[in-house]
Amino acid sequence: MITATPTQHEPKNYINSDYGIKSWLLTQDHKRIAILYLIVVTAFFFLGGLFAVLIRIELATPAGDLVDSNVYNKLFTMHGIIMVFFFLIPSIPAILGNFLIPLMIGAKDLAFPKINLLSWYIYVAGGVFTLYALMRGGVDTGWTFYTPFSTSYSNSYVIATGLGIFINGFSAILTGLNFIVTIHRMRAPGMTWFRLPLFVWAHYATSMIQVLGTPVIAVTLLLLILERGLHIGIFDPALGGDPVLYQHLFWFYSHPAVYIMILPAMGVVSEIISCFCKKAPFGYSFIAFSSIAIAVFGFLVWGHHLFVSSQSVYAGMVFSMLSYLVAIPSAIKVFNWTSTMYKASVEMSTPMLYAIGFIGLFTIGGLTGLFVAALGIDVHVTDTYFVVAHFHYIMVGGAIMGFLGGIHFWWPKITGRMYADTWSKLSAIIIFVGFNLTFFPQFILGYLGMPRRYHVYPPEFQVFNVLSSAGASILGFGYLLPFCYLLYSLKFGPKAPANPWGAVGLEWQTSSPPISENFEVTPVVTQDAYQYSTREEVKVG
Amino acid sequence: MASHAVTDLRHHFENHDQQKDASTLGMWIFLVTEIMFFGGLFLAYIAYRTAYPDAFGAASNTLNIPLGAVNTAVLICSSLTMAMAVHSAAIGKNKLLITFLIATLVLGGVFLGVKAYEYHDKFVEHHVPGPNFDFKSEDAKHPVDPHNASLYFALYFAMTGLHASHMIIGAVIIVVLIRMAAKNRFTPEWHTPIELFGLYWHFVDIVWIFLFPLLYLIDPKNK
Ligand SMILES: [Cu+2]
């Protein structure tokens, strides 16, 4: 019933159950909606990457020879906006979470399939607004839209872009709402909270942030649009308003937003490491609760972005201390992953390479996060390349490594095809090397005092910038490789078995790709997750 | 009617209880997002009222407190009729359900009408922030900065405007619900949309319960 018997014609699954563009655009199947997200998110990734390429070419030489400062401002702004709001935030939740959460908990679908489809359309609508602004000339405020520059002085399409992000936010809210209700109400019989895969715990924590944080950025952008359009004075010091209030509201969302990006990646890494060590993760409940702790602490630290923005010293000290607290649950995860690998027979598959890469890069990103959370050091490195390097280690080294690891791990399940093993391992290594070559020199640049967001710089910084640009070209090549061999596998890859990695999650108990209803019969769960030692098959009907 | 209830079970749920629990939890989470959404505006209000108490007091004294009070009463009554509508659906009295939904709609309309009248007054008095804004302090000995008064009115329009837009969306949904009720779609077993909309309507009501004292009643001694 579970293992597909080799027959002449293909068994029914969610991909071949229906044909035609309409069957995709009007689908309510969470798996098909995940594919819709995958397509658009990938397009935004390469668009955002294109801006990064232009930035790195410009910075290869100290002089401003490719673009002038105005265009350069727009390049890094559009890069940031597209990567943060249209790639990183939806990437793992809306694609892998959407596809896997119902499968992992033994449900037929998310709780609200129509809302799930709606959230994709909202995401696309937000993207269209942003692309419109981009084509009209883009925005030059930085992705943070700091006032009063964005409201009074910037000569670019702030309102259209703001509206795009505002609209896009509702997509994240609805996805988070859908996940929370699904995890609460749609679990299969016997799937208790502490039998949930850690991927699901991570998404539960992520959804909490999306539901609590995103409305705040929505209202903040609404005020920003009102301020710019009607000049109501809320953020304008000339009318008694306070630009720093904007920063508080913005970072109240945008710091937790970092955890919207990294928590799902942590969930992916927990699954991969457990599978390729063939043992249960060390300290299951610690990893589960550390996700919740990160989500909760994440809401209490936004002030570390305002150390040099007229915030009081005492508030700064409190925010600094609270920021250090986030390191505890993060470190718990890192220690538990490494403990899981300790004395295990680790299988160095492609997903595992990404997972190990994640641990190393996230650790560097996290530790340098402590540098910038320290008041004294932050004053020195604020708005330098040190900060740029730090958050790229978290967002690119962490979130994108997790995303690629997850895509490689579940690709056979999603598409029913295997990809080329040598190519995928090679590209994982290329990406790791390219990433470090791109961003490690930026730590040094920042520490030496090179400010971010300038298109020209003193010649003594050139050697590190050339290293960084060289790394970026390797990294960009590394990203193109999976795009090619994964697409190739769709047509020419060997058919994937139901459980190619020998994993124990419920999603591996159904066929690859799964049938439209996910399982022939609603599964009954009789044991904890990650029972690699007993290896009893989980009963599926 | 039993067959009706069966067709309303969506394919991915095991039973009606699960479906209803899911919808209700979803609604509550949605209301939490609404609290966070309004929360940003309340924060801005608290920050500026603390910074400019005199200007905020003087500006708030230009509002029409009797009209605000009437609107508060109207909205509380509409919450009552909405609660009665939910109850009527639960005991299967469809005619009564329609009556109470219409009553809720009418009361919501009255609220919006009064609000529009108040907005009109503000417009005539040049109290709308913008190039035509003009604020003269009543207390000539202690004049307040008109810029700060403008901030008050900006927040006043943002907060009550956001609230009113929720009322308008609510009114549209009531019309849909009345049409569904007229087609006998609701049964004592299945009337989840009525229940969930009730939650929404009470939430919008509660927001106003906070807005009224914060915007209208902050400086009563100078009245
Ligand atoms: Cu932060």
Side-chain angles (χ1 to χ4, degrees):
Chain A
M1 173 197 68
I2 299 158
T3 41
T5 43
T7 46
Q8 287 312 96
H9 56 88
E10 247 191 282
K12 278 279 174 219
N13 58 52
Y14 80 97
I15 299 172
N16 64 17
S17 64
D18 204 351
Y19 291 96
I21 187 87
K22 239 176 102 178
S23 77
W24 283 90
L25 290 179
L26 297 177
T27 184
Q28 290 174 26
D29 184 336
H30 65 104
K31 301 181 286 302
R32 284 185 161 218
I33 296 170
I35 301 293
L36 294 178
Y37 265 113
L38 176 62
I39 294 166
V40 185
V41 165
T42 306
F44 273 116
F45 173 70
F46 282 104
L47 181 63
L50 185 69
F51 291 114
V53 168
L54 295 173
I55 291 169
R56 282 322 317 173
I57 293 174
E58 167 57 55
L59 291 178
T61 58
D65 23 33
L66 179 69
V67 295
D68 66 9
S69 55
N70 276 318
V71 176
Y72 186 78
N73 288 346
K74 290 176 177 175
L75 288 181
F76 70 70
T77 302
M78 297 316 294
H79 168 70
I81 288 171
I82 286 172
M83 285 305 202
V84 168
F85 294 107
F86 294 95
F87 171 70
L88 283 165
I89 286 177
S91 62
I92 299 181
I95 299 169
L96 294 174
N98 221 335
F99 195 97
L100 292 165
I101 287 175
L103 283 164
M104 284 180 165
I105 65 173
K108 294 196 188 83
D109 206 319
L110 290 176
F112 307 117
K114 282 182 190 163
I115 290 181
N116 195 19
L117 180 64
L118 176 68
S119 71
W120 181 75
Y121 277 101
I122 295 175
Y123 168 65
V124 171
V128 167
F129 259 92
T130 308
L131 289 180
Y132 163 81
L134 175 70
M135 286 199 255
R136 293 296 302 274
V139 188
D140 62 355
T141 60
W143 76 281
T144 49
F145 295 104
Y146 267 20
T147 54
F149 178 71
S150 61
T151 47
S152 304
Y153 304 105
S154 169
N155 224 337
S156 59
Y157 291 83
V158 175
I159 291 184
T161 317
L163 267 178
I165 298 169
F166 176 81
I167 295 168
N168 180 40
F170 290 96
S171 151
I173 291 173
L174 291 177
T175 302
L177 187 152
N178 220 337
F179 285 178
I180 293 179
V181 175
T182 303
I183 295 168
H184 269 278
R185 292 286 184 255
M186 307 295 283
R187 283 171 285 130
M191 180 56 89
T192 58
W193 280 90
F194 290 99
R195 285 176 178 171
L196 286 174
L198 292 164
F199 180 87
V200 178
W201 274 101
H203 275 78
Y204 188 76
T206 308
S207 304
M208 277 172 40
I209 303 174
Q210 285 185 315
V211 160
L212 293 173
T214 319
V216 178
I217 192 74
V219 78
T220 309
L221 289 169
L222 203 62
L223 287 174
L224 183 85
I225 290 165
L226 286 175
E227 175 76 67
R228 186 173 168 91
L230 305 172
H231 208 66
I232 57 176
I234 299 248
F235 301 129
D236 184 358
L239 294 177
D242 187 355
V244 181
L245 178 67
Y246 173 81
Q247 295 185 23
H248 280 287
L249 287 168
F250 179 83
W251 288 111
F252 181 82
Y253 163 78
S254 294
H255 181 82
V258 177
Y259 302 131
I260 299 178
M261 305 169 202
I262 201 72
L263 275 170
M266 291 169 156
V268 167
V269 168
S270 299
E271 298 297 319
I272 294 174
I273 287 181
S274 171
C275 173
F276 292 104
C277 296
K278 290 293 176 289
K279 62 194 257 204
F282 183 83
Y284 168 93
S285 52
F286 279 90
I287 300 183
F289 279 115
S290 62
S291 289
I292 306 292
I294 288 175
V296 173
F297 287 147
F299 275 110
L300 306 173
V301 301
W302 76 89
H304 63 217
H305 295 271
L306 287 82
F307 285 162
V308 296
S309 303
S310 85
Q311 180 180 254
S312 92
V313 174
Y314 302 104
M317 283 156 70
V318 172
F319 278 121
S320 172
M321 198 189 72
L322 288 169
S323 305
Y324 269 65
L325 283 183
V326 182
I328 297 171
S330 309
I332 286 175
K333 281 185 192 284
V334 171
F335 287 128
N336 280 325
W337 291 324
T338 41
S339 305
T340 309
M341 288 195 282
Y342 179 66
K343 284 196 173 168
S345 52
V346 182
E347 184 190 340
M348 283 296 170
S349 63
T350 310
M352 193 64 187
L353 291 178
Y354 280 110
I356 294 173
F358 174 97
I359 297 177
L361 300 181
F362 172 74
T363 303
I364 296 176
L367 287 175
T368 51
L370 294 178
F371 287 44
V372 288
L375 284 164
I377 300 175
D378 188 61
V379 171
H380 176 62
V381 296
T382 285
D383 280 337
T384 68
Y385 266 87
F386 192 89
V387 175
V388 175
H390 155 66
F391 70 71
H392 279 88
Y393 263 80
I394 297 288
M395 293 177 183
V396 186
I400 299 187
M401 293 298 260
F403 174 65
L404 287 174
I407 288 287
H408 283 86
F409 187 48
W410 284 290
W411 187 260
K413 179 57 61 185
I414 294 171
T415 64
R417 299 285 180 160
M418 303 299 289
Y419 46 82
D421 200 44
T422 35
W423 279 106
S424 60
K425 282 182 179 156
L426 182 68
S427 65
I429 293 165
I430 291 175
I431 288 173
F432 184 81
V433 171
F435 172 83
N436 281 297
L437 190 55
T438 309
F439 291 105
F440 199 82
Q442 297 186 7
F443 277 126
I444 303 167
L445 277 173
Y447 194 76
L448 294 176
M450 175 163 166
R452 62 195 283 206
R453 296 179 170 178
Y454 283 86
H455 74 310
V456 290
Y457 55 84
E460 59 260 40
F461 290 142
Q462 188 175 11
V463 57
F464 294 111
N465 273 300
V466 168
L467 281 176
S468 183
S469 291
S473 59
I474 296 173
L475 185 60
F477 177 68
Y479 286 142
L480 284 175
L481 280 177
F483 184 75
C484 298
Y485 66 73
L486 288 178
L487 276 184
Y488 179 85
S489 79
L490 285 181
K491 191 111 182 84
F492 304 103
K495 286 228 161 47
N499 190 357
W501 316 119
V504 293
L506 273 184
E507 78 271 28
W508 302 107
Q509 308 295 318
T510 185
S511 55
S512 297
I515 55 172
S516 293
E517 298 265 297
N518 290 349
F519 302 95
E520 304 275 355
V521 185
T522 304
V524 177
V525 184
T526 53
Q527 53 183 347
D528 291 351
Y530 311 112
Q531 293 294 315
Y532 282 99
S533 46
T534 58
R535 300 245 35 187
E536 257 177 67
E537 287 296 292
V538 179
K539 227 195 312 178
V540 183
Chain B
M1 275 301 126
S3 67
H4 212 129
V6 170
T7 54
D8 287 321
L9 182 66
R10 309 248 310 134
H11 79 99
H12 57 294
F13 289 110
E14 297 290 324
N15 53 51
H16 279 92
D17 282 349
Q18 189 191 28
Q19 173 166 290
K20 193 177 166 192
D21 281 356
S23 308
T24 310
L25 181 61
M27 192 65 198
W28 278 107
I29 296 172
F30 173 73
L31 294 182
V32 169
T33 70
E34 288 278 25
I35 291 173
M36 298 307 289
F37 193 63
F38 277 98
L41 285 171
F42 277 93
L43 177 80
Y45 174 85
I46 293 166
Y48 291 129
R49 184 183 152 189
T50 313
Y52 313 116
D54 296 336
F56 269 50
S60 93
N61 281 336
T62 68
L63 295 188
N64 193 329
I65 291 180
L67 281 186
V70 166
N71 251 354
T72 308
V74 166
L75 215 47
I76 290 174
C77 287
S78 83
S79 253
L80 177 68
T81 55
M82 191 60 225
M84 297 304 288
V86 175
H87 182 67
S88 311
I91 58 173
K93 296 250 167 88
N94 202 50
K95 280 238 174 67
L96 215 54
L97 166 64
I98 294 175
T99 313
F100 278 122
L101 284 177
I102 291 174
T104 310
L105 181 63
V106 168
L107 288 168
V110 169
F111 177 93
L112 287 169
V114 172
K115 200 78 230 152
Y117 178 80
E118 286 187 77
Y119 277 6
H120 177 75
D121 273 0
K122 293 286 104 189
F123 188 75
V124 171
E125 293 163 20
H126 297 289
H127 284 170
V128 182
N132 293 324
F133 183 78
D134 182 27
F135 185 80
K136 298 209 172 40
S137 303
E138 279 175 33
D139 183 356
K141 272 190 211 141
H142 308 285
V144 297
D145 187 344
H147 284 148
N148 300 340
S150 165
L151 262 186
Y152 169 86
F153 285 111
L155 284 163
Y156 167 80
F157 280 107
M159 294 167 98
T160 58
L162 197 62
H163 177 260
S165 66
H166 279 77
M167 298 276 301
I168 293 168
I169 291 167
V172 173
I173 298 173
I174 298 185
V175 172
V176 175
L177 292 178
I178 292 172
R179 287 179 59 111
M180 285 172 79
K183 289 180 192 154
N184 281 317
R185 287 290 310 280
F186 302 117
T187 62
E189 293 81 38
W190 187 81
H191 54 280
T192 317
I194 302 279
E195 283 189 333
L196 298 189
F197 179 74
L199 288 176
Y200 173 83
W201 194 257
H202 296 320
F203 167 80
V204 176
D205 186 11
I206 289 170
V207 171
W208 178 258
I209 300 294
F210 280 92
L211 287 179
F212 177 59
L214 281 181
L215 293 170
Y216 287 72
L217 305 176
I218 55 176
D219 196 20
K221 61 182 185 298
N222 285 335
K223 194 67 195 168

